[in-house]
Amino acid sequence: MKIRSALTALALVAAPAVAVLGGASGAAAAPEAAAAAATKISHATATAKFREVGVTWSSSGGCSDRNTPTCTSFEQLNLATAQGAQTLKRATGCALNITGGTETGHASGTYSHWNGYKLDYGKNTCVTNYIKNTFTYIGPRGDGALQYRSGSGNIYADEGHHWDVLYYNCGGC
């Protein structure tokens, strides 16, 4: 009985340490956990967050209807994705213009634009230099887009005329 009590006590002491160590790295967290825990926000909430830090947005159709591919919508955007844009703006100090959000017309999948995990940013020298000089190059994506991983685990893909960014988390907000 004494051995069992000692093992139980050891488990109670060790369990919190394992939980802290397991949760210490956002980049190491399973993406499935991020998908299950995503908090969705409205277009109005997202645009208010972007305005707070000077992030702009535009659409080729001049609209925000989620069901129109030429619009730029933030309806059902993950809160962490909006916060990731804020983090990028604060970290770079660069002009940051979102050209793609949760509207239809992007590739599908769990970690897609539609599901609130991605934003597209217009390219400019300031943003491009920051990404390439700060993040780790991890090779080309299946479609050939060169990818860079931030310290928090988010993925920045150079799609030629814009950056396609996959936010697993807020990037250190």
Side-chain angles (χ1 to χ4, degrees):
M1 195 67 156
K2 288 183 181 182
I3 293 173
R4 186 173 184 186
S5 296
L7 289 175
T8 301
L10 180 60
L12 290 174
V13 170
V18 170
V20 169
L21 291 173
S25 172
E32 294 78 23
T39 298
K40 302 295 183 178
I41 60 174
S42 69
H43 182 84
T45 298
T47 57
K49 290 196 166 298
F50 300 147
R51 278 189 197 99
E52 283 177 19
V53 295
V55 171
T56 60
W57 59 95
S58 58
S59 75
S60 58
C63 50
S64 61
D65 180 357
R66 179 168 159 83
N67 296 302
T68 303
T70 56
C71 295
T72 298
S73 175
F74 305 121
E75 196 62 40
Q76 295 297 303
L77 189 69
N78 293 339
L79 175 60
T81 302
Q83 291 170 325
Q86 290 178 306
T87 300
L88 182 63
K89 173 65 177 173
R90 288 180 179 122
T92 65
C94 301
L96 195 59
N97 184 61
I98 301 170
T99 59
T102 61
E103 65 280 347
T104 191
H106 298 280
S108 62
T110 301
Y111 300 102
S112 63
H113 282 272
W114 182 262
N115 288 334
Y117 288 91
K118 286 186 159 192
L119 290 173
D120 288 340
Y121 298 108
K123 284 180 83 174
N124 64 51
T125 303
C126 183
V127 171
T128 296
N129 286 343
Y130 181 87
I131 292 168
K132 289 183 175 183
N133 293 327
T134 306
F135 302 149
T136 303
Y137 176 70
I138 59 171
R141 200 166 59 184
D143 62 1
L146 303 182
Q147 300 178 103
Y148 299 81
R149 180 180 290 123
S150 71
S152 61
N154 297 321
I155 307 294
Y156 292 71
D158 185 345
E159 292 191 346
H161 64 286
H162 69 270
W163 286 99
D164 177 75
V165 182
L166 168 57
Y167 287 102
Y168 291 114
N169 57 64
C170 68
C173 59

